[in-house]
Amino acid sequence: MKLAFYKKNELEQILTKIFQNEASNINCQVSCSEELDMDTIEVYENDSLLKVIDIEEAYDQIEKHIGEKFTHHDVIEVGDFGEGFAFFIPKKTSKAA
């Protein structure tokens, strides 16, 4: 298994690109809630909150953006990089003929 690891601000930049269109002023923020056992994306337009969605609802768009399919994500701490979001990418399996 390999990981795609993004610091919070890096993931927010990716999500902003995903949710933005040419005519909008979209900004995304990521929040982690251990109490709810859920990570959310807060989508803002012109500094007004438009919606809050579970990060899992954006998996398809994130996969398209990073160019990899992943099974799940987790918030982890990685040495000098600090806390960030890890997306778990399964190893490609060879198909026996």
Side-chain angles (χ1 to χ4, degrees):
M1 179 150 312
K2 54 182 201 176
L3 297 175
F5 179 80
Y6 299 96
K7 291 182 188 177
K8 183 177 184 282
N9 67 327
E10 293 171 328
L11 183 58
E12 289 173 345
Q13 289 174 0
I14 290 169
L15 293 168
T16 296
K17 287 178 186 174
I18 289 170
F19 285 97
Q20 233 172 24
N21 62 41
E22 292 176 20
S24 69
N25 185 15
I26 296 289
N27 182 35
C28 293
Q29 295 181 5
V30 181
S31 297
C32 310
S33 174
E34 289 184 26
E35 287 178 14
L36 299 175
D37 193 28
M38 181 171 65
D39 301 321
T40 60
I41 303 167
E42 299 169 1
V43 181
Y44 294 87
E45 184 172 26
N46 298 319
D47 297 325
S48 295
L49 182 63
L50 285 180
K51 60 185 171 179
V52 177
I53 61 171
D54 185 333
I55 196 168
E56 293 180 8
E57 293 178 30
Y59 273 10
D60 288 342
Q61 294 100 319
I62 296 169
E63 287 175 340
K64 279 183 193 173
H65 187 83
I66 67 175
E68 295 274 5
K69 290 270 187 196
F70 53 86
T71 57
H72 63 286
H73 84 282
D74 201 357
V75 179
I76 61 174
E77 183 123 5
V78 178
D80 293 339
F81 293 105
E83 190 174 83
F85 291 80
F87 294 90
F88 294 81
I89 302 165
K91 280 188 172 179
K92 303 219 187 307
T93 55
S94 59
K95 295 180 183 176

